[in-house]
Amino acid sequence: MLSYDEAIARVTAPGERFETAEVEIRGVAYTIFRNAPRSLRDIVATAHGRADVVFLVYEDERWTFAEFASKVDALANALVDRYKIEKGDRVAIGMRNYPEWVVAFGAITSIGAISVSLNAWWTSDELEYALEDCGASVLIADAERIERSADTCKRLGIDVIAVRAPDLAAAADQWDDVVVPGEPMPEVEIDPDDDATILYTSGTTGHPKGAVSTHRAVVQALMGFGCRSAADRLRSPDAAPTTDPPAFILVVPLFHVTGCVPVMLSCLSSGLKLVIMYKWDPDRALEHIERERVTNFVGVPTQSWDLLASPNFAAHDTSSLRSVGGGGAPAPPELVRRVASSFAKASPGIGYGMTETNAYGPQNGGEDYLTHPTSTGRATPILQVEVRDENELALPHGEAGEIWFKGPNLIRGYWNKPEATAEVIVDGWLRSGDIGRIDAEGFVYVEDRAKDMVLRAGENVYCAEVEAALYEHPDVHEAAVFGVPHDRLGEEVAAAVMPREGAKLTVAELQEHVRGHLAPFKVPTLIAIFDSPLPRNASGKILKRELRDDFTRSGAASLPSTEPGSPA
C-alpha cells in the first residue's frame, strides 16, 4: 500500500487533476489547486451536461440535473430581471432542507450575488439580526421562516419568495410564479475572489458573525475533499468493488457548512445523487439508504450512534454504504470500532473543519482511523496546520497549543466586523480556537477548546450568548453556562443560576425564558439553581470547570432535548 505522502504526491503531480500551484491572494502566498473551476457559477453550469441523471431525491420527488439546471436559470433570471439583484447584493435562504434550497444557492451564486444561509432553528430575534446585519434584498424561505421574519422583512423592505407555502400567497411571491422554466441564465462575469457566501457562526459575545467566503475559497475547499478521496482510492486499490454509483444522503442542514460544501456541492460538481431527508430520523434514514443504495453517510457522530442503535438496523440492507462518518464533534473510539464492525463494507471517517475553513481540514478514515481513532487526521497540500503557543510561535511535534490553519479555503473575514476578523485571521492564518497537537506523522489531535463554547451534536453554542439571554430574566442575579458530557450528543448545555435576593426561580421557567430568545438547541437541558454565589477565583471569574465537574459527577438526568439536524 502506498504511504499517505506517496499517494498525495501522485494525485497532485503536474498534469494531474489536483496539480498544485502558488498564488498570492490579498497579499498572502497560498498553495492552490491549479485546475479548480474559477467560480461556483462554473460548477452549477455543469448540471446542463448531466441531462437525465437523477440529482435530488426528496421523499417521492426525483429531480434530474436538467430539471435542476432549468430552475436555477429561471430563478437567476428572476432575481436579476424582477428583483434587480446585482453583483455583491445579498440574497438570504431561510428554510429546512428542500430541493429549492439547492436551486436558490445555485442561482444566487451564479449571478455574482452573495448567498446568505440563515439557520432554520433561529427565533424571530435571531433572524431579524442576521437579515439586518447582512443587508439582504431578497429572502427565499419556507412558511415557518416567513412567519418568523415577516415583521422584519416588512420593516426593511425585503422582498420574499415563498417556498412550499401556498397559504402565504398574500404575504410573499410564490416560487412557481417566480421560477418559470425556460428563462435563460443572465450573463455575469465572476472573479474567483468575488464574495460568494455568508454563513453565520455563533458569537463568543452577543450576536453571531457572518463568515464571508469567496468563490475561490469554496471551490478550493471542494477540491480539497476531492483530492483526499483520490489519494484514499490510490492507497486502497484492493477495496471491495461496488456496483452502486456514489450517492450521498443529506442528514445535516444545508445552512451548515458541512451540508452545503462537502455534501451538496460535492454531489453537484461530480454528478452524484443526493438523497434529502425532511428531518433527521434514524429509521427513515435506514429506509433511504436501502431504497436509494446510498454509499456515503456524512453527519455528526450522534447520527452514526443513532443509526447503530436503531432497533431496525439489522432489518435494513446497508451493504451499499462505503463511508460512514462526518465531523462537527470528536467521535469516541468505540464509535469508530462499531462503525467498522457493523457495516458490511463501510469504513469510518471523520473530518475537522469549521465554517471559517469551509468545512475543509484534516481528515481521517479507513485503516488510518482504526490505528489513530482519537485523531482527526492529516491535511492535504493546500492546507497548512500549525500548533502555536500563547506568543504565536510554532511548537514542535507532540506539544499542545492552539491550532492554526492557512489555506485558500479560508473565509476572507466577517461581514462588517473588521475587529473580529483581525482577531481570528493573522497574516493569512486562521486561529481555530481549539487546543491540540500534531504528531510526527502529521496526525492532528484536538484536545480542548480555547473558546467558551459547547459543541452539541455538531451545533456550536457559545456560552456568552446563552448567559446573555439568562441575564435578561429580571430575577437572575448570576449565571454561568458550560458544556457537560453526553453519550449521544457529545455535550449538552448546562447552566448554574443564582436568583436575585428574595426571588424564586424554577428550571422550567428559565428554559421557557431562554427559548423565547434563542434557538431550541441553545436552551440548557441541565440547570442548577444556587442559593449562594457561584464559585469564583481570586480575579472574580466564575469557575466553570469546577461547576462542570460537579454536574458530571452528580450524574443529573437531562430533560428531553431536540434532535440534531431537524429544524422546526
Side-chain angles (χ1 to χ4, degrees):
M1 186 175 73
L2 291 177
S3 71
Y4 181 76
D5 290 339
E6 289 170 336
I8 290 294
R10 286 198 189 183
V11 299
T12 59
E16 296 295 329
R17 179 186 177 192
F18 298 103
E19 177 186 354
T20 58
E22 302 298 318
V23 300
E24 187 174 290
I25 305 170
R26 296 184 292 278
V28 178
Y30 291 96
T31 301
I32 66 166
F33 292 113
R34 183 192 295 275
N35 301 318
R38 281 181 55 81
S39 70
L40 289 168
R41 177 187 173 99
D42 293 342
I43 289 176
V44 174
T46 62
H48 283 285
R50 313 270 187 204
D52 295 329
V53 176
V54 172
F55 175 30
L56 303 174
V57 176
Y58 174 73
E59 299 300 322
D60 295 325
E61 301 175 26
R62 306 181 80 80
W63 294 34
T64 65
F65 276 94
E67 291 167 334
F68 164 78
S70 177
K71 292 180 187 294
V72 167
D73 291 352
L75 177 57
N77 187 285
L79 289 172
V80 171
D81 186 56
R82 179 170 177 167
Y83 298 101
K84 310 306 178 187
I85 296 298
E86 299 179 351
K87 274 187 67 174
D89 288 347
R90 278 74 65 205
V91 179
I93 308 175
M95 68 180 92
R96 62 167 61 251
N97 286 355
Y98 285 135
E100 288 86 350
W101 200 108
V102 187
V103 172
F105 182 90
I108 296 164
T109 55
S110 290
I111 59 173
I114 302 173
S115 174
V116 182
S117 300
L118 302 179
N119 190 315
W121 293 95
W122 278 346
T123 63
S124 295
D125 290 346
E126 291 167 310
L127 288 169
E128 179 181 31
Y129 173 79
L131 287 168
E132 189 161 13
D133 178 67
C134 74
S137 300
V138 175
L139 168 65
I140 305 173
D142 59 15
E144 292 92 338
R145 265 43 69 175
I146 291 174
E147 290 170 354
R148 292 181 202 171
S149 60
D151 292 342
T152 296
C153 290
K154 182 176 180 180
R155 178 174 65 84
L156 298 176
I158 298 173
D159 292 310
V160 180
I161 301 173
V163 172
R164 302 186 185 233
D167 294 339
L168 298 179
D173 297 333
Q174 289 293 301
W175 174 271
D176 288 339
D177 295 333
V178 173
V179 181
V180 182
E183 295 294 333
M185 169 68 71
E187 289 298 324
V188 179
E189 184 67 30
I190 299 176
D191 186 83
D193 293 315
D194 286 341
D195 291 341
T197 63
I198 296 177
L199 281 77
Y200 277 89
T201 65
S202 295
T204 52
T205 56
H207 295 296
K209 304 186 295 288
V212 186
S213 288
T214 64
H215 285 262
R216 188 199 303 271
V218 180
V219 170
Q220 288 289 324
L222 191 60
M223 291 285 287
F225 288 110
C227 177
R228 175 58 191 248
S229 295
D232 286 345
R233 287 193 295 272
L234 271 184
R235 296 186 70 204
S236 304
D238 298 326
T242 176
T243 56
D244 296 305
F248 282 70
I249 184 168
L250 182 67
V251 298
V252 291
L254 283 163
F255 58 75
H256 275 327
V257 70
T258 300
C260 183
V261 179
V263 179
M264 184 272 285
L265 282 175
S266 287
C267 291
L268 175 56
S269 64
S270 300
L272 310 181
K273 180 169 64 176
L274 178 61
V275 181
I276 300 175
M277 293 192 67
Y278 175 75
K279 63 179 293 185
W280 172 245
D281 178 272
D283 291 333
R284 186 67 172 142
L286 288 167
E287 292 174 9
H288 284 309
I289 290 167
E290 179 176 6
R291 185 186 73 185
E292 301 295 337
R293 304 299 296 169
V294 170
T295 61
N296 292 72
F297 181 97
V298 179
V300 296
T302 299
Q303 292 168 311
S304 296
W305 276 124
D306 287 351
L307 276 188
L308 295 170
S310 168
N312 299 313
F313 178 78
H316 288 281
D317 180 3
T318 58
S319 63
S320 60
L321 283 171
R322 291 297 180 272
S323 176
V324 175
E334 176 59 24
L335 177 59
V336 179
R337 290 189 288 269
R338 285 279 302 279
V339 168
S341 62
S342 299
F343 294 94
K345 302 171 184 176
S347 296
I350 198 167
Y352 170 35
M354 310 162 61
T355 301
E356 287 85 351
T357 69
N358 277 290
Y360 178 66
Q363 294 171 269
N364 201 0
E367 187 64 28
D368 282 347
Y369 202 8
L370 294 176
T371 57
H372 300 76
T374 60
S375 171
T376 190
R378 296 179 279 196
T380 52
I382 67 162
L383 184 66
Q384 294 175 252
V385 186
E386 287 186 356
V387 170
R388 300 186 181 183
D389 63 17
E390 62 274 9
N391 296 315
E392 301 182 5
L393 299 176
L395 291 167
H397 290 144
E399 291 195 22
E402 185 175 6
I403 300 170
W404 291 57
F405 293 115
K406 181 185 177 186
N409 57 299
L410 302 182
I411 62 169
R412 71 155 179 82
Y414 296 111
W415 185 257
N416 289 336
K417 288 182 170 55
E419 292 182 0
T421 299
E423 289 176 5
V424 172
I425 300 178
V426 181
D427 298 329
W429 286 82
L430 177 86
R431 305 185 65 150
S432 72
D434 291 325
I435 304 299
R437 58 186 173 86
I438 305 174
D439 70 15
E441 297 178 277
F443 283 92
V444 179
Y445 297 80
V446 182
E447 298 177 333
D448 201 353
R449 283 190 298 277
K451 298 176 181 177
D452 192 11
M453 182 183 78
V454 180
L455 194 51
R456 179 197 179 278
E459 295 275 2
N460 292 347
V461 181
Y462 281 89
C463 300
E465 185 181 21
V466 184
E467 287 166 357
L470 284 167
Y471 276 118
E472 288 192 24
H473 192 292
D475 291 332
V476 170
H477 178 64
E478 286 188 333
V481 175
F482 43 90
V484 294
H486 188 282
D487 288 342
R488 199 175 69 84
L489 302 174
E491 286 185 308
E492 60 183 331
V493 184
V497 174
M498 178 191 172
R500 295 190 183 278
E501 187 175 356
K504 298 292 184 183
L505 289 171
T506 66
V507 169
E509 178 186 356
L510 288 169
Q511 289 173 323
E512 186 61 28
H513 169 77
V514 175
R515 194 173 289 113
H517 291 75
L518 302 175
F521 67 86
K522 301 176 184 178
V523 177
T525 50
L526 289 169
I527 298 179
I529 299 175
F530 284 59
D531 57 8
S532 58
L534 302 183
R536 296 176 181 268
N537 61 18
S539 63
K541 186 177 181 180
I542 294 176
L543 298 173
K544 291 190 179 183
R545 185 178 295 277
E546 180 179 313
L547 290 168
R548 180 171 65 242
D549 291 346
D550 287 344
F551 266 74
T552 304
R553 282 194 299 269
S554 70
S558 63
L559 297 173
S561 54
T562 309
E563 291 299 314
S566 308

